[in-house]
Amino acid sequence: MNFSLSKGSICSINNGDPISNPIIQIIDLKKIQVNQNSNQPDRFRLLISDGEHYQQAMLATQLNYLVKDENIKNHSIIQLKEFICNTVHNRKIIIILSLEVLNDFTSVIGAPKALDPSNAVQPSSNNTNNNKNNNMNNNMNNNMNNNMNNNINNNMNNNNNNMNNNNMNNNNNMNNNNMNNNNNMNNNNMNNNNNMNNNN
């Protein structure tokens, strides 16, 4: 089955324009070196193309199995289901959170150009400055991990605050109910005493 690339989608994503499920091609896929002494999972850098432009992207770690199982590789056609565009070191990076593999291909479709030539990363086969790019990728990877961890921690803190607020509200409600029950019991006792006195 043939799939047409979503031309103009890379530019739209970078501009923050709404775009749904764009079809793009992976024109380069590379594992980023991480600190061997750390417990960080592997990270994979991609160059993704819409046939007109290409852009650097990162694969979310929960999708690493797609690379390790060779479901995606160079020239694969994929459809982006969930993604975000972050700025790291003045360079925009597309973070792929969810995707669907559509087809394998044997070559690059079209003649895509870097969306931002001043910050472009060349495909590995054309890259003559691997050390520089590796260092930049490692820095971006560390910053992205820190940003993702900060977001997770913020979400956890927000959830904890909400839970604490809910617990405080529940305790206040319980205290109010107990006070109301005590007041009702006291009123009933007073009424009973008054009735007993009247009978006497």
Side-chain angles (χ1 to χ4, degrees):
M1 184 179 296
N2 293 325
F3 296 94
S4 298
L5 300 183
S6 302
K7 292 184 178 180
S9 58
I10 296 296
C11 186
S12 295
I13 293 172
N14 274 264
N15 291 337
D17 298 332
I19 183 168
S20 179
N21 302 332
I23 296 176
I24 54 92
Q25 182 183 33
I26 299 172
I27 63 172
D28 193 56
L29 176 61
K30 183 177 182 180
K31 181 180 176 180
I32 293 178
Q33 294 180 354
V34 297
N35 188 344
Q36 295 181 352
N37 296 325
S38 71
N39 293 322
Q40 294 180 359
D42 293 334
R43 299 305 302 264
F44 292 94
R45 187 219 73 186
L46 299 81
L47 293 183
I48 57 176
S49 163
D50 62 7
E52 294 180 342
H53 295 99
Y54 67 82
Q55 168 75 20
Q56 186 170 194
M58 296 290 293
L59 197 66
T61 54
Q62 67 265 23
L63 300 180
N64 282 356
Y65 73 94
L66 292 173
V67 178
K68 295 177 179 178
D69 293 345
E70 296 187 349
N71 292 320
I72 60 173
K73 54 182 77 72
N74 282 343
H75 307 139
S76 291
I77 309 297
I78 63 174
Q79 186 172 42
L80 303 184
K81 296 295 187 179
E82 294 181 60
F83 55 89
I84 56 176
C85 189
N86 285 345
T87 301
V88 181
H89 288 314
N90 297 319
R91 178 186 293 184
K92 289 198 173 180
I93 308 290
I94 298 172
I95 314 299
I96 301 174
L97 305 173
S98 177
L99 64 86
E100 179 182 351
V101 182
L102 300 181
N103 201 359
D104 287 332
F105 213 69
T106 56
S107 60
V108 175
I109 297 174
K113 299 179 180 179
L115 187 64
D116 183 2
S118 63
N119 282 326
V121 174
Q122 299 296 327
S124 297
S125 58
N126 297 326
N127 195 348
T128 59
N129 202 358
N130 286 329
N131 290 333
K132 180 179 178 181
N133 277 327
N134 283 339
N135 290 334
M136 293 176 68
N137 286 332
N138 288 337
N139 289 334
M140 285 188 292
N141 182 47
N142 291 333
N143 284 339
M144 286 169 58
N145 283 335
N146 289 335
N147 289 337
M148 292 174 69
N149 288 335
N150 287 337
N151 289 335
I152 292 171
N153 288 335
N154 288 336
N155 288 336
M156 290 177 65
N157 288 334
N158 289 336
N159 288 336
N160 287 336
N161 288 336
N162 290 334
M163 290 175 64
N164 288 335
N165 288 335
N166 288 335
N167 287 336
M168 289 176 64
N169 290 334
N170 288 337
N171 288 335
N172 288 335
N173 290 334
M174 289 176 64
N175 289 334
N176 288 335
N177 288 336
N178 287 335
M179 289 176 66
N180 289 334
N181 288 337
N182 288 333
N183 289 335
N184 289 335
M185 289 176 65
N186 290 332
N187 289 334
N188 288 336
N189 288 335
M190 289 176 66
N191 290 332
N192 287 335
N193 288 334
N194 288 334
N195 289 334
M196 289 175 64
N197 290 332
N198 289 334
N199 288 334
N200 290 333

